[in-house]
Amino acid sequence: MFEKYITFLKNILSKIGLSDGINLFISETVSFITLIILAIAIYLLVVLIINKTVCAFINKSDSKKDDMLIKNHVFKRLCLLVPAYLIRHFVAQSLPSYPALTSVIIMITKIYEVFIYSRVMDAILSTMNDIYDTYEVSKSKPIKGFVQVLKTIIYIVCFLLIVAIITN
């Protein structure tokens, strides 16, 4: 996908008279910036689709329990994974001459994904706790402490996974 784009940019820049090294650097930098812009645009499109469909459907339903998914931002946090997936998948194609930089960017996106997954699990646990709080039994048997322990475990695992990603 990006190979033709990079070749197109190289041809334009070579006609200007730039050297091959600068030509390569500029064309691949523009290719990577294009990837970032596409990832952001697709993220905004996914957010728009989620807001117009899923959130509208949830808001129209009679049940108030599904509204807690929106209140705790479960879908918004899931949407944050879209740009990371796109960047991680296409960064090697947009920066083919810079494998070290590509591996660093892939590592950063993996760290970002782990963090977002932990935030999604946090939101799901909060939603489950909010739903449980709507029942009468929650007054005598609260689970808030249990949920907080689970969240702590999730963030500890998140931290360990991030350390594992950094150290390979």
Side-chain angles (χ1 to χ4, degrees):
M1 179 173 144
F2 284 96
E3 295 87 14
K4 291 180 182 179
Y5 184 58
I6 291 171
T7 305
F8 172 74
L9 290 172
K10 283 181 186 177
N11 290 337
I12 290 175
L13 293 172
S14 65
K15 289 178 184 176
I16 295 173
L18 294 175
S19 69
D20 289 341
I22 294 173
N23 188 346
L24 180 69
F25 175 76
I26 292 174
S27 61
E28 290 189 11
T29 302
V30 169
S31 173
F32 181 67
I33 291 170
T34 303
L35 173 62
I36 299 293
I37 291 170
L38 282 173
I40 292 170
I42 291 173
Y43 163 73
L44 293 173
L45 182 66
V46 168
V47 168
L48 180 70
I49 290 169
I50 294 293
N51 284 339
K52 295 290 182 185
T53 58
V54 175
C55 293
F57 181 74
I58 287 174
N59 286 332
K60 288 181 182 180
S61 72
D62 293 335
S63 174
K64 295 299 175 198
K65 294 174 184 167
D66 56 359
D67 294 343
M68 293 175 193
L69 289 169
I70 296 172
K71 177 188 150 222
N72 290 314
H73 308 289
V74 173
F75 299 113
K76 287 182 182 179
R77 291 178 183 173
L78 280 172
C79 290
L80 290 171
L81 291 169
V82 172
Y85 286 144
L86 290 171
I87 291 170
R88 185 166 50 101
H89 183 73
F90 291 112
V91 69
Q93 295 175 17
S94 68
L95 295 171
S97 301
Y98 302 100
L101 180 60
T102 299
S103 63
V104 169
I105 292 170
I106 289 172
M107 181 180 65
I108 290 170
T109 57
K110 285 180 181 179
I111 291 169
Y112 175 78
E113 289 171 20
V114 167
F115 180 71
I116 295 301
Y117 278 127
S118 65
R119 298 285 292 152
V120 168
M121 288 187 274
D122 181 304
I124 290 170
L125 285 173
S126 294
T127 302
M128 290 170 54
N129 187 47
D130 290 347
I131 291 171
Y132 181 76
D133 284 344
T134 63
Y135 294 113
E136 199 60 38
V137 71
S138 68
K139 309 283 188 271
S140 62
K141 296 179 182 178
I143 61 167
K144 187 168 184 105
F146 179 69
V147 169
Q148 288 175 343
V149 169
L150 282 176
K151 287 181 181 182
T152 303
I153 291 170
I154 287 171
Y155 282 111
I156 289 171
V157 170
C158 171
F159 175 75
L160 293 175
L161 285 172
I162 289 172
V163 170
I165 290 169
I166 290 172
T167 60
N168 249 347

